[in-house]
Amino acid sequence: MIEETSKQNIELRIQMASEAYQSLKKTTVKERAAFMNAVADRIEALGEELLTTAHTETSLPLARLTGEKARTAGQWRSYAKAVASGIYTESRIDLAQPEKQKSDIRKYNIGLGPVVVFGASNFPFAFSTAGGDTASAIGAGCPVIVKAHPAHPQTSQMMADVITDTVKEFGWPQGIFSHITGTSHEIGAFLTQHKDIHAVAFTGSFNGGKALFDAASRRENPIPVFAEMGSINPVFALQQLLENKAKALAKEYVTSLTLGVGQFCTNPGVFIARKGESLDTFISAVKNEIQEISPAPMLHKGIYESFKKHKSIAITQAGVEVIASTETEEGKGSAAVIKTNAQNFINNPVLSEEVFGPFGIIVTCENQGELIQISQKLKGQLTITLAATSDDIHENSELIDILKDKCGRLLFNGMPTGVEVVYGMQHGGPFPSTTDARFTSVGPDAVKRFVRPISFQNWPNEFLPEELKNENPLQINRMVDGEINSESLKLETV
């Protein structure tokens, strides 16, 4: 039984976070980076107990969890390195020019304030309690209150202990990090609507993310909700590529579609191509590949029930043909692929809804015009993939221009599952895939979500933050009168 954290307890945690924010705000990027590296050390030091606990709670294979644990520690380290560099302070200095009656104006970014992070179920390490949202918020200078996902409470508690112990080690205020448990939706609403919470990070369903976004918008002082809410991640197979490698593409597609029992937010749920012999070959190969996929346990009962329900709804739509499926087993994700034509897909919004699990739709188009129609009709996506040759790209410039406006990550071949934790990654896209397409939840740039700029005009050097002082004690890159450098300023202090 999961303990339900009381509102009185939550109120206390928020008060502690607000007080801790004043302390964290005074830390430098170097100090926060040191903390983040210490968290990474503790995550790496966790033994088999963490892996076996997570395996028991989620049914995820030990090999997958081992890799995810390494990724999680790596996230803390890579974000720490980025934070330490000062890149997210965006320090700007415009020196005074008395002869032109121009003031000395200096600007940098500070943390927004206490942040609520909602743990995700499909990544119990990397997107949950000690995941990238928590790491990037602390790196930005924000205390974090985590609402643990009820699907893996013991795993969540173990990761929470890592951060709590690091807070103690550094002698920082306890309110820097809090861990809240419970299954009630009221907890999420209460946290999001509390006047002392300044931002929310969420990964999960559209309904959950949109509810939090709406609650935050109704506040007297609205706050940002950075919600990643899912995507159908369409694959557009263009003609030359399909003609050259239909069978190989089918194997690649099915492997990605069913990876992790289809429980990835970048699962390629829709495959779109023009009718013809090559597409027939692809479909035949998909049938064969699906038969080789054994049903496997899903993360938890809620996800299984949702998958079963939404798969059934999609399969029973008019104009749909099941072309491949595996035997259904209770509690397990049984793969299936259906087929429909372009006009049915365009006119039936149900077919454009995400089915979270190993389920795909093949959409057959009569001509290029229908490919364009589908691209125009698409809602915002995390990813869109072009299975194409270079000649295909030359011949489909109109299609590609439209798709650029529809996603956060546009792939040239390959499949979208597998999100690299690097600066160049954009894991976020136009609504409804996320609530704010300007930001990513993966990669060091995730820190940008939790900062805001503040300017200091004509302030004495001794009272400026370290990031803006003349002597540049942190040795970070700053923009001084339009030029980026890490040099100290040889000015008279005032």
Side-chain angles (χ1 to χ4, degrees):
M1 180 109 181
I2 298 171
E3 181 182 352
E4 198 85 9
T5 305
S6 69
K7 286 187 177 179
Q8 183 179 9
N9 191 319
I10 295 173
E11 189 74 54
L12 175 62
R13 304 291 184 91
I14 295 173
Q15 180 182 340
M16 290 168 59
S18 294
E19 293 169 358
Y21 170 60
Q22 298 306 319
S23 175
L24 195 57
K25 190 164 60 176
K26 296 171 185 174
T27 60
T28 68
V29 291
K30 306 291 187 184
E31 291 167 336
R32 295 198 297 277
F35 176 89
M36 296 165 77
N37 281 316
V39 171
D41 289 342
R42 288 180 179 271
I43 291 173
E44 288 173 338
L46 290 174
E48 288 298 313
E49 184 183 0
L50 174 69
L51 300 178
T52 54
T53 299
H55 172 66
T56 300
E57 291 187 315
T58 66
S59 298
L60 292 173
L62 288 172
R64 149 78 190 273
L65 290 167
T66 300
E68 188 184 332
K69 176 188 168 188
R71 168 185 169 170
T72 305
Q75 284 178 168
W76 282 85
R77 291 201 190 285
S78 65
Y79 295 8
K81 183 177 180 180
V83 167
S85 75
I87 186 175
Y88 301 116
T89 69
E90 295 186 336
S91 298
R92 308 285 192 252
I93 299 174
D94 288 282
L95 297 173
Q97 298 181 47
E99 70 281 4
K100 296 182 180 180
Q101 297 185 328
K102 286 190 175 181
S103 300
D104 182 295
I105 303 178
R106 308 185 183 204
K107 179 174 72 172
Y108 85 134
N109 291 331
I110 62 171
L112 291 174
V115 171
V116 172
V117 171
F118 289 85
S121 64
N122 60 335
F123 283 87
F125 305 152
F127 269 92
S128 197
T129 302
D133 288 338
T134 300
S136 54
I138 290 177
C142 301
V144 171
I145 298 171
V146 165
K147 166 59 178 66
H149 198 286
H152 47 256
Q154 294 179 62
T155 302
S156 186
Q157 185 62 59
M158 293 176 74
M159 296 300 261
D161 289 344
V162 162
I163 304 175
T164 300
D165 290 345
T166 309
V167 170
K168 291 178 182 176
E169 175 192 341
F170 274 63
W172 284 5
Q174 184 180 348
I176 296 293
F177 177 81
S178 290
H179 184 240
I180 289 171
T181 58
T183 58
S184 168
H185 293 307
E186 292 180 6
I187 292 179
F190 181 76
L191 285 165
T192 302
Q193 293 173 326
H194 196 284
K195 64 181 179 60
D196 292 326
I197 295 301
H198 289 259
V200 170
F202 170 88
T203 298
S205 69
F206 173 79
N207 289 337
K210 186 62 163 57
L212 294 175
F213 179 81
D214 290 344
S217 299
R218 289 193 298 267
R219 290 171 41 141
E220 182 178 351
N221 58 326
I223 60 171
V225 172
F226 302 105
E228 187 235 281
M229 301 179 292
S231 178
I232 59 174
N233 304 296
V235 177
F236 284 79
L238 302 184
Q239 206 58 32
Q240 287 195 29
L241 190 287
L242 193 59
E243 289 172 0
N244 293 337
K245 52 175 293 187
K247 289 183 179 180
L249 184 59
K251 184 176 185 64
E252 192 177 1
Y253 176 70
V254 171
T255 298
S256 181
L257 182 72
T258 60
L259 183 67
V261 204
Q263 297 167 117
F264 288 95
C265 49
T266 52
N267 183 28
V270 178
F271 185 94
I272 304 157
R274 288 171 61 176
K275 280 184 176 180
E277 185 178 333
S278 299
L279 182 56
D280 292 341
T281 300
F282 173 86
I283 291 171
S284 178
V286 165
K287 291 180 183 179
N288 293 333
E289 294 292 339
I290 288 290
Q291 301 309 315
E292 301 298 318
I293 305 297
S294 299
M298 300 193 80
L299 287 160
H300 55 82
K301 184 178 179 181
I303 280 184
Y304 167 73
E305 293 294 342
S306 177
F307 171 65
K308 185 169 71 170
K309 173 186 173 182
H310 290 101
K311 182 173 78 167
S312 176
I313 289 172
I315 285 174
T316 55
Q317 295 300 299
V320 162
E321 174 190 351
V322 177
I323 65 167
S325 64
T326 57
E327 185 178 346
T328 301
E329 294 184 37
E330 189 66 24
K332 294 185 176 182
S334 301
V337 176
I338 63 176
K339 182 179 75 170
T340 192
N341 64 53
Q343 292 307 312
N344 196 41
F345 181 78
I346 290 168
N347 294 323
N348 186 346
V350 171
L351 298 176
S352 295
E353 297 299 321
E354 180 185 27
V355 178
F356 192 71
F359 179 80
I361 302 177
I362 296 174
V363 181
T364 64
C365 299
E366 294 287 347
N367 49 47
Q368 184 71 12
E370 289 192 333
L371 281 174
I372 297 295
Q373 279 184 277
I374 290 174
S375 68
Q376 292 170 330
K377 188 77 172 180
L378 280 177
K379 297 178 182 178
Q381 307 292 328
L382 292 173
T383 76
I384 295 176
T385 300
L386 285 157
T389 65
S390 294
D391 287 340
D392 282 324
I393 297 298
H394 283 299
E395 295 168 6
N396 287 271
S397 58
E398 181 184 2
L399 173 67
I400 293 163
D401 283 343
I402 295 168
L403 297 181
K404 287 177 183 177
D405 295 333
K406 300 286 186 173
C407 66
R409 178 162 55 111
L410 187 62
L411 288 85
F412 177 69
N413 294 321
M415 287 292 155
T417 42
V419 181
E420 295 183 42
V421 187
V422 293
Y423 284 96
M425 178 53 61
Q426 177 59 22
H427 190 62
F431 187 86
S433 62
T434 61
T435 47
D436 197 327
R438 297 172 298 171
F439 298 98
T440 180
S441 61
V442 176
D445 280 352
V447 175
K448 290 182 180 180
R449 296 173 295 174
F450 305 116
V451 296
R452 70 171 180 86
I454 178 171
S455 285
F456 297 83
Q457 185 164 337
N458 294 330
W459 272 71
N461 184 68
E462 65 177 303
F463 298 121
L464 287 169
E466 300 287 285
E467 290 82 355
L468 296 176
K469 284 183 175 177
N470 291 338
E471 54 270 32
N472 193 12
L474 301 176
Q475 292 299 293
I476 61 174
N477 280 330
R478 308 183 297 185
M479 182 175 286
V480 181
D481 287 341
E483 299 291 333
I484 296 176
N485 62 65
S486 60
E487 298 173 6
S488 60
L489 301 175
K490 308 302 182 184
L491 302 174
E492 286 188 26
T493 56
V494 179

